[in-house]
Short mmCIF file of all heavy atoms in Angstrom, two decimals:
data_model
loop_
_atom_site.label_atom_id
_atom_site.label_comp_id
_atom_site.label_asym_id
_atom_site.label_seq_id
_atom_site.Cartn_x
_atom_site.Cartn_y
_atom_site.Cartn_z
N ALA H 1 41.69 120.08 -34.19
CA ALA H 1 41.53 118.76 -33.56
C ALA H 1 40.69 118.84 -32.30
O ALA H 1 40.66 117.91 -31.52
CB ALA H 1 42.90 118.18 -33.24
N ASN H 2 40.00 119.95 -32.08
CA ASN H 2 39.23 120.16 -30.85
C ASN H 2 37.80 119.67 -30.93
O ASN H 2 37.02 119.92 -30.02
CB ASN H 2 39.23 121.65 -30.48
CG ASN H 2 40.62 122.16 -30.25
OD1 ASN H 2 41.48 121.41 -29.81
ND2 ASN H 2 40.84 123.42 -30.54
N LEU H 3 37.43 119.00 -32.00
CA LEU H 3 36.06 118.53 -32.13
C LEU H 3 35.86 117.28 -31.28
O LEU H 3 36.54 116.29 -31.46
CB LEU H 3 35.75 118.20 -33.60
CG LEU H 3 34.33 117.79 -33.92
CD1 LEU H 3 33.38 118.95 -33.66
CD2 LEU H 3 34.21 117.36 -35.36
N PRO H 4 34.95 117.34 -30.30
CA PRO H 4 34.75 116.17 -29.44
C PRO H 4 33.98 115.08 -30.17
O PRO H 4 33.14 115.35 -31.01
CB PRO H 4 33.91 116.73 -28.28
CG PRO H 4 33.18 117.89 -28.87
CD PRO H 4 34.10 118.45 -29.93
N ARG H 5 34.28 113.84 -29.83
CA ARG H 5 33.53 112.71 -30.39
C ARG H 5 32.26 112.57 -29.58
O ARG H 5 32.28 112.55 -28.37
CB ARG H 5 34.35 111.43 -30.32
CG ARG H 5 35.48 111.47 -31.32
CD ARG H 5 36.03 110.13 -31.62
NE ARG H 5 35.32 109.27 -32.52
CZ ARG H 5 35.25 109.39 -33.83
NH1 ARG H 5 35.77 110.43 -34.40
NH2 ARG H 5 34.65 108.49 -34.55
N ARG H 6 31.14 112.48 -30.28
CA ARG H 6 29.84 112.36 -29.59
C ARG H 6 29.30 110.97 -29.81
O ARG H 6 28.41 110.76 -30.61
CB ARG H 6 28.86 113.39 -30.13
CG ARG H 6 29.21 114.79 -29.79
CD ARG H 6 28.09 115.70 -30.22
NE ARG H 6 28.67 116.87 -30.86
CZ ARG H 6 28.10 117.55 -31.81
NH1 ARG H 6 26.94 117.21 -32.26
NH2 ARG H 6 28.69 118.59 -32.33
N ARG H 7 29.85 110.02 -29.11
CA ARG H 7 29.35 108.65 -29.22
C ARG H 7 28.28 108.43 -28.17
O ARG H 7 28.40 108.91 -27.05
CB ARG H 7 30.47 107.64 -29.00
CG ARG H 7 31.43 107.62 -30.14
CD ARG H 7 32.40 106.51 -29.94
NE ARG H 7 33.26 106.50 -31.09
CZ ARG H 7 33.55 105.42 -31.76
NH1 ARG H 7 33.09 104.28 -31.38
NH2 ARG H 7 34.34 105.47 -32.80
N LYS H 8 27.30 107.66 -28.56
CA LYS H 8 26.27 107.31 -27.60
C LYS H 8 26.81 106.24 -26.68
O LYS H 8 27.52 105.34 -27.11
CB LYS H 8 25.02 106.81 -28.31
CG LYS H 8 24.30 107.89 -29.06
CD LYS H 8 23.02 107.37 -29.61
CE LYS H 8 22.28 108.48 -30.33
NZ LYS H 8 21.03 108.03 -30.88
N SER H 9 26.49 106.34 -25.43
CA SER H 9 26.95 105.36 -24.47
C SER H 9 26.24 104.04 -24.72
O SER H 9 25.05 104.00 -25.01
CB SER H 9 26.66 105.86 -23.06
OG SER H 9 26.99 104.87 -22.12
N THR H 10 26.99 102.95 -24.60
CA THR H 10 26.38 101.64 -24.77
C THR H 10 25.73 101.18 -23.47
O THR H 10 24.97 100.22 -23.48
CB THR H 10 27.41 100.60 -25.22
OG1 THR H 10 28.48 100.58 -24.27
CG2 THR H 10 27.96 100.93 -26.60
N VAL H 11 26.03 101.85 -22.37
CA VAL H 11 25.44 101.50 -21.09
C VAL H 11 24.36 102.51 -20.78
O VAL H 11 24.60 103.69 -20.71
CB VAL H 11 26.50 101.49 -19.97
CG1 VAL H 11 25.87 101.19 -18.63
CG2 VAL H 11 27.60 100.51 -20.28
N THR H 12 23.16 102.03 -20.62
CA THR H 12 22.05 102.90 -20.26
C THR H 12 21.81 102.79 -18.76
O THR H 12 22.19 101.81 -18.15
CB THR H 12 20.76 102.50 -21.02
OG1 THR H 12 20.43 101.16 -20.65
CG2 THR H 12 20.97 102.60 -22.52
N PRO H 13 21.16 103.78 -18.17
CA PRO H 13 20.91 103.71 -16.73
C PRO H 13 20.14 102.46 -16.31
O PRO H 13 20.31 101.97 -15.22
CB PRO H 13 20.08 104.96 -16.45
CG PRO H 13 20.44 105.91 -17.53
CD PRO H 13 20.74 105.05 -18.72
N MET H 14 19.30 101.92 -17.23
CA MET H 14 18.55 100.73 -16.87
C MET H 14 19.44 99.50 -16.76
O MET H 14 19.10 98.54 -16.11
CB MET H 14 17.47 100.45 -17.91
CG MET H 14 16.24 101.28 -17.74
SD MET H 14 14.90 100.57 -18.65
CE MET H 14 14.90 101.61 -20.06
N MET H 15 20.61 99.51 -17.41
CA MET H 15 21.48 98.35 -17.40
C MET H 15 22.32 98.27 -16.13
O MET H 15 22.87 97.24 -15.82
CB MET H 15 22.41 98.37 -18.61
CG MET H 15 21.69 98.12 -19.91
SD MET H 15 22.75 98.29 -21.34
CE MET H 15 23.92 96.98 -21.08
N LEU H 16 22.43 99.37 -15.40
CA LEU H 16 23.25 99.37 -14.20
C LEU H 16 22.49 98.68 -13.07
O LEU H 16 21.42 99.09 -12.68
CB LEU H 16 23.62 100.80 -13.81
CG LEU H 16 24.42 101.57 -14.86
CD1 LEU H 16 24.65 102.98 -14.39
CD2 LEU H 16 25.73 100.88 -15.14
N VAL H 17 23.07 97.62 -12.57
CA VAL H 17 22.43 96.81 -11.54
C VAL H 17 23.43 96.61 -10.42
O VAL H 17 24.60 96.32 -10.67
CB VAL H 17 22.02 95.43 -12.10
CG1 VAL H 17 21.41 94.57 -11.02
CG2 VAL H 17 21.07 95.59 -13.26
N SER H 18 23.00 96.76 -9.22
CA SER H 18 23.89 96.43 -8.11
C SER H 18 23.36 95.16 -7.46
O SER H 18 22.21 95.07 -7.06
CB SER H 18 23.95 97.57 -7.10
OG SER H 18 22.65 97.88 -6.64
N LEU H 19 24.22 94.16 -7.40
CA LEU H 19 23.86 92.88 -6.80
C LEU H 19 24.44 92.84 -5.39
O LEU H 19 25.60 93.21 -5.18
CB LEU H 19 24.38 91.71 -7.63
CG LEU H 19 23.83 91.63 -9.05
CD1 LEU H 19 24.49 90.48 -9.78
CD2 LEU H 19 22.33 91.43 -9.03
N LEU H 20 23.65 92.40 -4.46
CA LEU H 20 24.08 92.32 -3.08
C LEU H 20 24.50 90.89 -2.76
O LEU H 20 23.90 89.94 -3.26
CB LEU H 20 22.95 92.74 -2.15
CG LEU H 20 22.42 94.16 -2.35
CD1 LEU H 20 21.21 94.40 -1.46
CD2 LEU H 20 23.49 95.18 -2.08
N PRO H 21 25.53 90.73 -1.95
CA PRO H 21 25.92 89.36 -1.58
C PRO H 21 24.84 88.72 -0.73
O PRO H 21 24.18 89.37 0.08
CB PRO H 21 27.21 89.56 -0.79
CG PRO H 21 27.20 90.98 -0.37
CD PRO H 21 26.38 91.73 -1.36
N VAL H 22 24.65 87.43 -0.94
CA VAL H 22 23.62 86.68 -0.22
C VAL H 22 24.31 85.63 0.63
O VAL H 22 25.21 84.93 0.17
CB VAL H 22 22.65 86.00 -1.21
CG1 VAL H 22 21.64 85.15 -0.47
CG2 VAL H 22 21.96 87.05 -2.06
N GLN H 23 23.90 85.51 1.88
CA GLN H 23 24.44 84.48 2.76
C GLN H 23 23.36 83.46 3.02
O GLN H 23 22.21 83.81 3.32
CB GLN H 23 24.92 85.09 4.07
CG GLN H 23 26.11 86.01 3.89
CD GLN H 23 26.59 86.57 5.21
OE1 GLN H 23 25.91 86.46 6.22
NE2 GLN H 23 27.76 87.17 5.19
N MET H 24 23.74 82.20 2.89
CA MET H 24 22.79 81.11 3.13
C MET H 24 22.67 80.90 4.64
O MET H 24 23.67 80.89 5.35
CB MET H 24 23.28 79.82 2.48
CG MET H 24 23.49 79.90 0.99
SD MET H 24 22.03 79.54 0.03
CE MET H 24 21.59 77.94 0.58
N THR H 25 21.45 80.74 5.11
CA THR H 25 21.26 80.46 6.53
C THR H 25 21.36 78.97 6.81
O THR H 25 21.61 78.56 7.92
CB THR H 25 19.90 80.99 7.00
OG1 THR H 25 18.88 80.42 6.18
CG2 THR H 25 19.86 82.50 6.92
N HIS H 26 21.14 78.14 5.75
CA HIS H 26 21.23 76.69 5.89
C HIS H 26 22.36 76.20 5.00
O HIS H 26 22.24 76.21 3.78
CB HIS H 26 19.91 76.02 5.47
CG HIS H 26 18.74 76.51 6.25
ND1 HIS H 26 18.53 76.17 7.55
CD2 HIS H 26 17.72 77.34 5.91
CE1 HIS H 26 17.43 76.76 7.98
NE2 HIS H 26 16.92 77.48 7.01
N PRO H 27 23.47 75.75 5.57
CA PRO H 27 24.60 75.34 4.76
C PRO H 27 24.38 74.04 3.99
O PRO H 27 25.11 73.75 3.06
CB PRO H 27 25.73 75.18 5.77
CG PRO H 27 25.08 75.03 7.09
CD PRO H 27 23.75 75.71 6.99
N GLU H 28 23.39 73.26 4.33
CA GLU H 28 23.16 71.98 3.62
C GLU H 28 22.62 72.26 2.22
O GLU H 28 21.91 73.24 1.99
CB GLU H 28 22.20 71.07 4.40
CG GLU H 28 20.77 71.56 4.52
CD GLU H 28 20.54 72.43 5.74
OE1 GLU H 28 21.46 72.62 6.55
OE2 GLU H 28 19.43 72.91 5.89
N PRO H 29 22.98 71.43 1.24
CA PRO H 29 22.53 71.65 -0.14
C PRO H 29 21.02 71.51 -0.27
O PRO H 29 20.38 70.78 0.47
CB PRO H 29 23.26 70.57 -0.94
CG PRO H 29 23.66 69.54 0.07
CD PRO H 29 23.79 70.24 1.39
N MET H 30 20.47 72.22 -1.23
CA MET H 30 19.04 72.16 -1.49
C MET H 30 18.70 70.83 -2.14
O MET H 30 19.50 70.25 -2.87
CB MET H 30 18.62 73.32 -2.39
CG MET H 30 18.82 74.67 -1.71
SD MET H 30 18.48 76.13 -2.68
CE MET H 30 17.24 75.68 -3.80
N THR H 31 17.50 70.36 -1.91
CA THR H 31 17.10 69.06 -2.43
C THR H 31 16.24 69.18 -3.68
O THR H 31 15.55 68.25 -4.05
CB THR H 31 16.32 68.28 -1.35
OG1 THR H 31 15.19 69.08 -0.97
CG2 THR H 31 17.19 68.00 -0.15
N ALA H 32 16.29 70.32 -4.36
CA ALA H 32 15.50 70.50 -5.57
C ALA H 32 16.07 69.63 -6.68
O ALA H 32 17.28 69.39 -6.74
CB ALA H 32 15.52 71.96 -6.00
N PRO H 33 15.23 69.13 -7.57
CA PRO H 33 15.72 68.31 -8.67
C PRO H 33 16.61 69.13 -9.60
O PRO H 33 16.51 70.36 -9.66
CB PRO H 33 14.45 67.84 -9.38
CG PRO H 33 13.39 68.79 -8.96
CD PRO H 33 13.79 69.29 -7.60
N ALA H 34 17.47 68.46 -10.35
CA ALA H 34 18.39 69.13 -11.26
C ALA H 34 17.66 69.81 -12.40
O ALA H 34 18.14 70.76 -12.98
CB ALA H 34 19.41 68.13 -11.80
N SER H 35 16.50 69.33 -12.75
CA SER H 35 15.75 69.90 -13.86
C SER H 35 14.27 69.91 -13.50
O SER H 35 13.75 68.94 -12.98
CB SER H 35 15.98 69.05 -15.12
OG SER H 35 15.10 69.44 -16.13
N THR H 36 13.61 71.02 -13.76
CA THR H 36 12.18 71.12 -13.49
C THR H 36 11.48 71.69 -14.71
O THR H 36 12.05 72.44 -15.48
CB THR H 36 11.90 72.05 -12.29
OG1 THR H 36 12.41 73.34 -12.59
CG2 THR H 36 12.54 71.54 -11.02
N ALA H 37 10.23 71.30 -14.90
CA ALA H 37 9.43 71.84 -16.00
C ALA H 37 8.67 73.05 -15.48
O ALA H 37 8.24 73.08 -14.34
CB ALA H 37 8.48 70.78 -16.52
N GLY H 38 8.49 74.02 -16.32
CA GLY H 38 7.77 75.22 -15.92
C GLY H 38 8.34 76.43 -16.61
O GLY H 38 8.83 76.35 -17.73
N HIS H 39 8.31 77.54 -15.91
CA HIS H 39 8.90 78.75 -16.49
C HIS H 39 9.51 79.59 -15.38
O HIS H 39 9.18 79.45 -14.21
CB HIS H 39 7.87 79.55 -17.28
CG HIS H 39 6.85 80.24 -16.43
ND1 HIS H 39 5.73 79.62 -15.95
CD2 HIS H 39 6.82 81.51 -15.97
CE1 HIS H 39 5.03 80.48 -15.22
NE2 HIS H 39 5.67 81.64 -15.22
N LEU H 40 10.42 80.46 -15.80
CA LEU H 40 11.12 81.34 -14.89
C LEU H 40 11.09 82.73 -15.49
O LEU H 40 11.28 82.89 -16.69
CB LEU H 40 12.58 80.88 -14.71
CG LEU H 40 13.49 81.80 -13.91
CD1 LEU H 40 13.09 81.79 -12.44
CD2 LEU H 40 14.93 81.35 -14.06
N GLU H 41 10.83 83.71 -14.67
CA GLU H 41 10.81 85.10 -15.13
C GLU H 41 11.67 85.93 -14.20
O GLU H 41 11.43 85.98 -13.01
CB GLU H 41 9.37 85.62 -15.16
CG GLU H 41 9.26 87.00 -15.73
CD GLU H 41 7.81 87.43 -15.91
OE1 GLU H 41 7.00 86.63 -16.38
OE2 GLU H 41 7.52 88.59 -15.57
N LEU H 42 12.71 86.56 -14.77
CA LEU H 42 13.59 87.44 -14.01
C LEU H 42 13.41 88.86 -14.52
O LEU H 42 13.41 89.08 -15.72
CB LEU H 42 15.06 87.05 -14.19
CG LEU H 42 15.49 85.68 -13.70
CD1 LEU H 42 16.89 85.38 -14.17
CD2 LEU H 42 15.44 85.65 -12.19
N ILE H 43 13.26 89.80 -13.62
CA ILE H 43 13.21 91.21 -14.01
C ILE H 43 14.41 91.89 -13.38
O ILE H 43 14.50 91.99 -12.16
CB ILE H 43 11.89 91.88 -13.57
CG1 ILE H 43 10.70 91.14 -14.19
CG2 ILE H 43 11.89 93.34 -13.95
CD1 ILE H 43 9.36 91.62 -13.70
N VAL H 44 15.34 92.32 -14.24
CA VAL H 44 16.57 92.95 -13.77
C VAL H 44 16.69 94.30 -14.46
O VAL H 44 16.77 94.37 -15.68
CB VAL H 44 17.80 92.07 -14.10
CG1 VAL H 44 19.07 92.75 -13.63
CG2 VAL H 44 17.66 90.70 -13.48
#
Protein backbone atom coordinates (compact mmCIF):
# COMPACT_ATOMS: atom_id res chain seq x y z
CA ALA A 1 0.00 0.00 0.00
CA ASN A 2 3.06 2.26 -0.20
CA LEU A 3 2.49 3.40 -3.77
CA PRO A 4 1.98 7.18 -3.77
CA ARG A 5 -0.80 8.72 -5.83
CA ARG A 6 0.65 10.98 -8.50
CA ARG A 7 -2.16 13.36 -9.29
CA LYS A 8 -1.48 16.51 -11.16
CA SER A 9 -2.28 19.61 -9.21
CA THR A 10 -5.30 21.51 -10.44
CA VAL A 11 -3.74 24.76 -9.23
CA THR A 12 -0.91 26.04 -11.36
CA PRO A 13 1.49 28.77 -10.26
CA MET A 14 -0.14 31.13 -12.74
CA MET A 15 -3.50 30.76 -10.99
CA LEU A 16 -2.20 31.96 -7.64
CA VAL A 17 -3.09 35.62 -7.27
CA SER A 18 -2.76 37.84 -4.27
CA LEU A 19 -5.28 40.66 -4.14
CA LEU A 20 -4.51 43.68 -2.03
CA PRO A 21 -7.21 45.59 -0.17
CA VAL A 22 -8.07 48.92 -1.75
CA GLN A 23 -9.19 51.97 0.19
CA MET A 24 -11.26 54.64 -1.50
CA THR A 25 -9.98 58.17 -1.01
CA HIS A 26 -13.38 59.63 -1.98
CA PRO A 27 -16.26 58.10 -0.03
CA GLU A 28 -18.94 59.53 -2.37
CA PRO A 29 -20.32 57.10 -4.98
CA MET A 30 -18.98 57.21 -8.51
CA THR A 31 -21.16 58.85 -11.11
CA ALA A 32 -20.44 56.38 -13.91
CA PRO A 33 -23.49 55.05 -15.75
CA ALA A 34 -24.78 51.59 -14.83
CA SER A 35 -24.01 50.29 -18.30
CA THR A 36 -21.42 51.37 -20.85
CA ALA A 37 -20.63 50.21 -24.36
CA GLY A 38 -17.08 49.21 -25.16
CA HIS A 39 -14.74 46.53 -23.97
CA LEU A 40 -12.87 45.53 -20.87
CA GLU A 41 -9.66 43.54 -20.66
CA LEU A 42 -8.37 42.09 -17.39
CA ILE A 43 -5.04 40.31 -17.11
CA VAL A 44 -4.82 38.25 -13.93
